[in-house]
């Protein structure tokens, strides 16, 4: 833990990820957990980071498998498989 | 399908555990987790429920022959969707592997909730549903398919090589017969000369076939090395 933060799967996004993580972690502890936040903050850092990640997902060929998993276990469903998961 | 279950306690309050969850990696134990990315994150309108989608990147060395066989590399990806619910006081993480999902699927559910009687403790519940789609016969079929393909490739190369060896040999064979015929009609005693000619023919044949075999053996080795 401490200040060591995990890298991004795409090295070119790691710095942007660290900027976002810094902001998010602070927001999470200081606002969300205390019930003080009504919105997901850090949008500026988020936009820069997620733009980088989206491109890398396509570039590294991860997108198709990800889309399939998203269909199987939707975000809106909390990641719960919709049905017949096995 | 197999089920795996595990339950533990952490000596930290629930809210701290959930905050630590975002900083769980890197850590000294889980060195196979090399990257964690947030793909989507949404806060519900009440501001008490946070849903995150993450991509977890793992690197674990698997034997090369196995990665060749099952078509999966050392790098693998797991997708995780988590929900922090401040009202229910739960953090639920659901994850599934993206890599090798055609062979094996592991659906993991992890739940963190406050300990019923001790607010300084957090309960951890883990459950994994493991489904293997690859049977031994599927894997065997893949070994067979791969072997047949390689064998076919090498066989056609070997065939070309052997054809040319046979050709050289048969040409020389006729020539040798001719020499033997000549020998029998002449009846003269130049035995040494003829033997040396025959020796030459045999050597020439040997040389040709050896170079062909060594040439194709390199091809065969290369073909196998590609798969190793």
């Amino acid at each position: 833990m401490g200040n060591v933060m995990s890298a991004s799967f795409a090295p070119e996004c790691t710095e942007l990820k660290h900027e976002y993580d810094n902001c998010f972690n602070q927001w999470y502890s200081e606002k969300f957990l205390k019930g003080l936040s009504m919105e997901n903050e850090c949008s500026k850092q988020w936009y820069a980071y997620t733009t980088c990640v989206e491109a890398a997902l396509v570039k590294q060929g991860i997108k198709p498998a990800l889309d399939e998993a998203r269909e199987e276990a939707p975000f809106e469903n909390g990641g719960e498989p919709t049905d017949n998961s096995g | 399908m197999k089920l795996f279950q595990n339950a533990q306690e952490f000596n930290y309050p629930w809210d701290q555990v959930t905050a630590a969850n975002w900083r769980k990696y890197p850590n000294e134990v889980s060195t196979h987790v090399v990257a964690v990315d947030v793909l989507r994150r949404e806060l519900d309108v009440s501001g008490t429920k946070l849903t995150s989608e993450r991509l977890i990147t793992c690197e674990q060395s698997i034997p090369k022959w196995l990665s060749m066989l099952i078509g999966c590399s050392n790098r693998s990806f797991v997708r995780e969707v988590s929900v922090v619910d401040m009202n229910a006081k739960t953090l639920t993480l659901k994850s599934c592997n993206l890599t090798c999902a055609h062979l094996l699927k592991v659906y993991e559910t992890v739940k963190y909730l406050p300990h019923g009687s001790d607010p300084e403790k957090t309960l951890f519940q883990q459950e994994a549903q493991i489904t293997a789609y690859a049977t031994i016969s599927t894997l065997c079929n893949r070994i067979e398919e791969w072997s047949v393909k390689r064998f076919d490739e090498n066989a056609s190369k070997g065939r070309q090589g052997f054809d040319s060896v046979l050709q050289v040999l048969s040409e020389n064979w006729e020539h040798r017969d001719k020499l033997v015929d000549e020998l029998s009609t002449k009846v003269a005693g130049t035995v040494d000369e003829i033997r040396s000619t025959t020796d030459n023919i045999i050597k020439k044949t040997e040389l040709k076939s050896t170079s062909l075999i060594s040439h194709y053996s390199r091809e065969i080795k290369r073909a196998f090395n590609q798969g190793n």
Side-chain angles (χ1 to χ4, degrees):
Chain A
M1 280 182 237
N3 290 321
V4 186
M5 276 191 280
S6 57
S8 169
F9 75 98
E12 67 269 28
C13 306
T14 296
E15 210 176 305
L16 295 170
K17 176 189 146 60
H18 287 171
E19 283 170 26
Y20 169 71
D21 276 353
N22 269 331
C23 179
F24 170 79
N25 284 327
Q26 195 171 344
W27 171 82
Y28 186 82
S29 301
E30 300 304 317
K31 294 200 173 165
F32 177 76
L33 284 179
K34 292 176 180 170
L36 298 174
S37 184
M38 295 306 281
E39 59 175 324
N40 191 358
E41 293 175 12
C42 313
S43 56
K44 195 177 142 223
Q45 292 90 332
W46 170 256
Y47 183 74
Y49 167 54
T50 201
T51 304
C52 183
V53 163
E54 284 297 323
L57 285 173
V58 174
K59 208 166 84 185
Q60 294 195 25
I62 305 165
K63 201 76 199 300
L66 184 65
D67 287 342
E68 207 174 299
R70 281 172 167 164
E71 203 170 305
E72 219 171 77
F75 180 89
E76 290 76 13
N77 211 20
E80 179 82 38
T82 38
D83 57 3
N84 58 38
S85 62
Chain B
M1 203 264 285
K2 297 263 182 212
L3 205 65
F4 165 85
Q5 279 176 314
N6 175 33
Q8 280 174 39
E9 274 181 23
F10 288 101
N11 293 320
Y12 298 91
W14 178 81
D15 53 353
Q16 273 181 36
V17 170
T18 69
N21 175 58
W22 309 121
R23 310 168 195 225
K24 194 169 159 192
Y25 305 110
N27 70 56
E28 287 166 10
V29 182
S30 308
T31 51
H32 64 286
V33 176
V34 295
V36 180
D37 285 272
V38 186
L39 303 180
R40 190 174 164 188
R41 182 166 267 155
E42 284 176 19
L43 187 69
D44 79 335
V45 284
S46 70
T48 58
K49 205 166 142 185
L50 181 72
T51 308
S52 310
E53 181 188 47
R54 298 198 296 178
L55 180 76
I56 294 149
T57 308
C58 306
E59 261 175 27
Q60 224 155 7
S61 59
I62 58 170
K64 275 189 179 171
W65 63 267
L66 184 64
S67 86
M68 174 274 293
L69 198 61
I70 60 180
C72 303
S73 68
N74 289 348
R75 198 167 219 221
S76 60
F77 299 101
V78 171
R79 173 184 176 254
E80 173 205 87
V81 177
S82 62
V83 180
V84 187
D85 189 330
M86 286 297 284
N87 296 322
K89 291 273 180 203
T90 51
L91 163 58
T92 311
L93 306 106
K94 290 185 179 288
S95 62
C96 186
N97 56 302
L98 296 182
T99 316
C100 285
H102 59 296
L103 293 176
L104 186 78
K105 231 173 231 187
V106 182
Y107 270 106
E108 190 200 46
T109 304
V110 165
K111 209 173 222 183
Y112 294 94
L113 56 160
H115 191 281
S117 53
D118 189 345
E120 295 301 305
K121 282 185 181 177
T122 301
L123 296 178
F124 166 89
Q125 293 167 355
Q126 183 182 33
E127 193 183 283
Q129 259 184 35
I130 302 161
T131 312
Y133 298 100
T135 58
I136 289 295
S137 73
T138 309
L139 287 178
C140 288
N141 282 343
R142 290 189 86 147
I143 299 173
E144 282 172 4
E145 276 164 26
W146 180 80
S147 307
V148 166
K149 198 168 152 255
R150 286 294 149 91
F151 195 83
D152 194 40
E153 282 167 14
N154 293 332
S156 69
K157 283 174 197 162
R159 169 69 204 246
Q160 286 165 23
F162 193 48
D163 264 350
S164 59
V165 172
L166 285 171
Q167 203 188 330
V168 172
L169 194 68
S170 93
E171 275 169 14
N172 292 326
W173 206 263
E174 282 160 21
H175 193 46
R176 194 200 67 166
D177 283 347
K178 225 180 276 171
L179 286 171
V180 173
D181 284 346
E182 275 172 28
L183 179 73
S184 57
T185 50
K186 275 184 185 171
V187 203
T190 51
V191 178
D192 282 347
E193 199 196 317
I194 290 162
R195 184 189 279 164
S196 76
T197 312
T198 314
D199 273 357
N200 266 341
I201 291 163
I202 290 168
K203 271 196 190 121
K204 208 174 132 198
T205 310
E206 254 177 25
L207 211 72
K208 177 84 175 161
S209 60
T210 309
S211 79
L212 275 165
I213 286 166
S214 75
H215 176 72
Y216 286 102
S217 85
R218 231 179 295 137
E219 293 289 321
I220 290 162
K221 272 186 198 151
R222 204 184 305 150
F224 272 96
N225 283 338
Q226 274 168 6
N228 277 339

